[in-house]
Amino acid sequence: ALKEKVALITGSTSGIGLATAHLLAEQGANIIIHGLVPISEGLELKQQFEDKYGVKVMFSDANIAESEQIDLMMLNIKNTFKQLDIVVNNAGIQYTETIENFPREKWNAIIAINLSAAFHIMQQALPLMKERKWGRVINVASVHGLVGSAKKSAYVAAKHGLVGLTKVAAIEEAANGVTINAICPGWVETPLINNQIAELAKQQGTNITEAKHQLITNKQPLPAMATPEQIGNLILFLCTDTARSITGASLPIDGAWTSQ
Ligand code: NAD
């Protein structure tokens, strides 16, 4: 259903992004795989995708903490594909500490990667989408775009910002066939949360399995993590023509976390 489309998924060398890249490529979309991994690993992924799905794939290792590197990546995409139809702003990092002790460089990095990068990418992607009167932007926010948690000041601020940015973009592009939405996952089984699990296990003197269960049920009524594929399938749905009236939304996929 996505044949002839070109999709950039940031942070698609791991976790939610990688699962999403598989699902979009399976539907025939050409893909820009992106992430901070060695070139050899990126090129291996590119080959895998091309062999498995028969689509055209580009790999980028742009560090999206730097707006100049984003500009270069976007230029490469324009030159290679001449179009860009789907953007999934997914790359993100986490760091947990109280506000009092939060390192300034971590604050700056989280705001740059989890929020500003989405702005810089949209600024260049929206004109390309508008030109073809069709486009889909999915910003991977979090439940932390809707509610707060202790020790996550930068992350929560960035994700709330991303939810706000999504609303403005949706209003601006509503008449142009371009939808912009945020999705707000609860716990998802990916490497991003390993540190938090390890820290909790250490604090409580328990094992990883026990710590994981505690971490989930502290916040989330549904006592299991979502899989990256489940998140990817919501993103895929938002890319369909059927979803054309959903825009400006911030959709929880959080096991009732934000229902409380
Ligand atoms: P992950 O750690 O598995 O993957 C992160 C990806 O981002 C990797 O491909 C990495 O290379 C890339 N990346 C990180 N910093 C980068 C940089 N400076 N430049 C370029 N690429 C960079 O994480 P994930 O859990 O799949 O997270 C994906 C998104 O989902 C994030 O925005 C995260 O905040 C969000 N999210 C995750 C969860 C969860 O429980 N895992 C919950 C809600 C939201």
Side-chain angles (χ1 to χ4, degrees), residues 10-18 34-37 60-66 89-94 109 113-114 140-144 155 159 162 183-193 196 225 228 231:
T10 67
S12 45
T13 55
S14 170
I16 295 169
L18 180 58
H34 164 264
L36 279 189
V37 294
S60 165
D61 65 351
N63 180 350
I64 61 167
E66 314 279 345
N89 284 307
N90 165 78
I93 58 166
Q94 174 63 288
I113 295 164
N114 295 18
V140 181
S142 162
V143 284
H144 289 112
Y155 190 83
K159 296 298 191 183
L162 192 56
I183 62 161
C184 301
W187 293 117
V188 188
E189 186 95 52
T190 78
L192 183 97
I193 57 174
Q196 292 175 68
M225 294 196 189
I231 309 300

Side-chain angles (χ1 to χ4, degrees), residues 12-117:
S12 45
T13 55
S14 170
I16 295 169
L18 180 58
T20 303
H22 276 289
L23 289 164
L24 298 190
E26 203 174 24
Q27 293 302 313
N30 301 304
I31 302 284
I32 297 100
I33 294 181
H34 164 264
L36 279 189
V37 294
I39 301 260
S40 57
E41 196 179 324
L43 293 180
E44 212 169 283
L45 266 176
K46 169 181 148 85
Q47 192 65 51
Q48 256 181 39
F49 269 70
E50 285 177 344
D51 293 348
K52 189 161 179 197
Y53 302 112
V55 299
K56 191 169 171 192
V57 180
M58 176 182 145
F59 169 68
S60 165
D61 65 351
N63 180 350
I64 61 167
E66 314 279 345
S67 55
E68 297 78 14
Q69 291 203 29
I70 293 178
D71 291 348
L72 260 176
M73 173 177 77
M74 297 308 282
L75 196 67
N76 274 338
I77 293 172
K78 266 186 235 175
N79 289 339
T80 308
F81 291 101
K82 322 279 180 230
Q83 73 187 75
L84 182 59
D85 310 286
I86 297 168
V87 168
V88 183
N89 284 307
N90 165 78
I93 58 166
Q94 174 63 288
Y95 188 82
T96 56
E97 185 48 274
T98 58
I99 293 175
E100 283 182 36
N101 297 317
F102 212 89
R104 185 177 282 177
E105 68 275 11
K106 293 285 186 199
W107 168 273
N108 288 337
I110 290 181
I111 299 298
I113 295 164
N114 295 18
L115 175 58
S116 301

Side-chain angles (χ1 to χ4, degrees), residues 196-253:
Q196 292 175 68
I197 297 170
E199 200 182 308
L200 192 68
K202 207 168 102 191
Q203 259 174 32
Q204 317 249 317
T206 52
N207 61 32
I208 294 292
T209 314
E210 183 52 37
K212 201 189 239 178
H213 181 75
Q214 263 204 35
L215 193 74
I216 299 167
T217 53
N218 272 346
K219 292 282 186 179
Q220 190 178 294
L222 193 158
M225 294 196 189
T227 64
E229 289 71 27
Q230 289 165 359
I231 309 300
N233 272 296
L234 176 58
I235 294 172
L236 175 61
F237 174 69
L238 290 170
C239 291
T240 61
D241 285 325
T242 308
R244 72 178 176 278
S245 291
I246 307 177
T247 190
S250 301
L251 301 170
I253 170 161

